[in-house]
Amino acid sequence: MNSPEPCQLIGILDDGWAGLGDAARARLAGCDLLIGARRTLELVAPHLPSRVEQRMMDGLLGRVPEWVRAARGAGQSCAVLATGDPLCHGIASFLADKLGTTAITVHPAPSTLQLAFARLGQSWQGATIVSVHGHDAGEWQPGAGPDHGLYPLMRAASQQHLIGAFTSPANSPDRIARALISAGLGDDFRMSVAARLALPDEVVHADLPLTVAASRSFADPNIVVLTRVGPPERRATFGFDDADFIQRAPEKGLITKQEARALSLAKLGLCPDSLVWDIGAGSGSVGLEAARLARNGHVWAIEKNAGDAANARANALRLRATNYTLVEGKAPAGLDTWPAPDAVFIGGSGGELAGLIRLILGRLRPGGRLVMNFVTLENLATATATLAEAGASWDVVQLQAARSQPILDMHRLAAQNPVWIVSATQENP
């Protein structure tokens, strides 16, 4: 028995039928079932034989694999219309995952992103491509999490020099500009907007300051190109001085010191995409350095002291940490809404240490790590006893550091308080 003919996945631009090649036109005219969004179907409908069944997928994307599977099973030829290159943030990967790569044949048109760069006369092989063509999560606010529609773009902007973005009517160029400004990146990028590509009223707005783009409206559909106007900020990924962080005054020193912070971050074993909890964030020093190490991950932090929480937010803005969310409150309240972590740091427990340890061991992802800092024997004893009762594997390092201080024309060493650094994994989750 012969295998059914693959479904033809055909890319199309807004110039519609006129922009299609002869082969694509023949496939559309010869199919039994044509699936597409209303907008793309309307571009080709006047040129199709009446026998071609047209089926709109607006709001029904999840049913498209089922429709394709049924048509192929019935011996019908089918095609799906998609915008531009279906393999660039398009439907092709979704269909291939559901149906298998042999069940579809992709016929791409130029990507609208490619057209945008062409209109700007700008090479794009070094560009980072992101899509914010998702749900409307409202305006970006500092501390927004990975569920925000602009999150992929904000992470790219913190690291890259050239970005091409697929937009949506909600996540529009002006909203993107306002988001970058709110993250402290307002002077770092220029924005170009290519609107209504391949249509008679196509327009390109090139090299706009973000302050200008933030207050303008742009015709839909459009593509955004962000170009960094200077080199990315050269600031350490790891190993900030204590003085780099805003701290509560006059009580300076309520911060995880650099030496303990460095060892604690090493014990957390962070990967570029780690999901991290910071319990008792204080000024945010550990969590914010973790956010730079886990640059493609995210840090959720909680702090009960209002003054410290305000300082942590200010530090996050100064460090342009767009993958850092701070909650003002007392753990464990609200932790049930956070995703399971790869790593957890406890710098302060608010008297809930034993309960927090048990909760965290139950939530850690496979291979995850819990790291805690203590300066009192009582908390150290509570932690190790709780870890032993829970069947966790743990170890303790006592860190005793001394820093040089001037004395006359010489220097002496001044000892800091010893810190116990406890790290643990759950052996029997």
Side-chain angles (χ1 to χ4, degrees), residues 39 236 249 313 330 338 428:
R39 186 173 67 86
R313 291 191 190 95
K330 182 179 178 181
W338 293 4
N428 301 300

Side-chain angles (χ1 to χ4, degrees), residues 10-381:
I10 298 174
I12 189 170
L13 294 173
D14 282 341
D15 55 359
W17 192 261
L20 293 172
D22 291 340
R25 292 178 182 179
R27 289 185 178 94
L28 290 173
C31 70
D32 298 309
L33 172 65
L34 177 60
I35 302 166
R38 178 192 294 272
R39 186 173 67 86
T40 55
L41 290 175
E42 289 175 347
L43 293 173
V44 301
H47 307 279
L48 299 179
S50 58
R51 64 171 184 77
V52 177
E53 178 188 353
Q54 299 178 43
R55 192 174 300 173
M56 288 187 296
M57 65 180 183
D58 303 66
L60 299 171
L61 177 63
R63 297 196 61 190
V64 173
E66 165 194 336
W67 294 341
V68 170
R69 196 177 291 112
R72 296 180 72 225
Q76 294 181 311
S77 61
C78 63
V80 175
L81 279 175
T83 301
D85 182 353
L87 284 165
C88 183
H89 288 279
I91 194 177
S93 297
F94 170 72
L95 290 181
D97 181 62
K98 298 296 183 182
L99 301 170
T101 55
T102 60
I104 60 172
T105 300
V106 181
H107 306 276
S111 169
T112 50
L113 196 71
Q114 182 181 359
L115 288 184
F117 277 98
R119 301 296 192 265
L120 293 165
Q122 190 171 359
S123 62
W124 66 301
Q125 69 266 18
T128 295
I129 301 172
V130 299
S131 175
V132 295
H133 194 79
H135 66 286
D136 181 4
E139 293 284 322
W140 175 270
Q141 300 294 333
D147 58 341
H148 195 285
L150 294 182
Y151 190 82
L153 186 142
M154 300 301 286
R155 295 308 307 134
S158 71
Q159 305 172 59
Q160 308 299 333
H161 71 284
L162 181 62
I163 301 166
F166 295 97
T167 64
S168 69
N171 295 323
S172 52
D174 56 311
R175 176 178 283 183
I176 291 170
R178 290 191 293 273
L180 292 169
I181 292 170
S182 74
L185 298 167
D187 295 328
D188 290 34
F189 287 94
R190 291 295 183 100
M191 175 182 286
S192 297
V193 181
R196 299 187 61 75
L197 288 164
L199 289 171
D201 57 347
E202 173 186 300
V203 61
V204 176
H205 308 272
D207 203 32
L208 300 176
L210 293 185
T211 52
V212 172
S215 60
R216 292 182 60 173
S217 297
F218 300 89
D220 288 317
N222 56 63
I223 293 290
V224 160
V225 174
L226 292 167
T227 305
R228 192 179 290 273
V229 295
E233 181 185 31
R234 290 187 60 80
R235 183 178 282 180
T237 300
F238 171 76
F240 288 101
D241 289 333
D242 296 344
D244 290 332
F245 297 96
I246 299 170
Q247 303 165 48
R248 201 191 325 170
E251 303 170 50
K252 291 283 188 178
L254 294 179
I255 185 174
T256 300
K257 298 291 195 299
Q258 185 186 52
E259 295 84 357
R261 190 165 67 245
L263 182 54
S264 296
L265 288 164
K267 291 286 188 178
L268 285 170
L270 300 176
C271 298
D273 60 350
S274 289
L275 304 182
V276 184
W277 293 5
D278 182 11
I279 311 297
S283 62
S285 62
V286 173
L288 288 168
E289 289 215 55
R292 295 177 77 83
L293 294 169
R295 60 189 180 276
N296 299 321
H298 197 85
V299 175
W300 286 265
I302 187 167
E303 171 54 49
K304 65 183 179 66
N305 181 279
D308 285 336
N311 288 337
R313 291 191 190 95
N315 286 323
L317 184 60
R318 291 172 68 236
L319 294 176
R320 301 176 178 183
T322 55
N323 60 335
Y324 180 83
T325 300
L326 178 73
V327 175
E328 188 174 326
K330 182 179 178 181
L335 300 188
D336 57 329
T337 66
W338 293 4
D342 298 292
V344 179
F345 177 75
I346 297 180
S349 61
E352 305 289 341
L353 181 58
L356 280 171
I357 291 173
R358 287 190 287 267
L359 182 153
I360 290 164
L361 291 176
R363 294 288 307 280
L364 277 174
R365 297 170 74 178
R369 300 187 186 185
L370 166 62
V371 175
M372 299 169 279
N373 283 187
F374 303 114
V375 295
T376 68
L377 290 166
E378 289 78 9
N379 279 341
L380 174 64

Side-chain angles (χ1 to χ4, degrees), residues 398-412:
Q398 178 181 289
L399 180 65
Q400 175 72 69
R403 293 182 176 181
S404 63
Q405 287 187 351
I407 176 170
L408 300 176
D409 59 344
M410 295 175 285
H411 290 79
R412 70 180 182 88

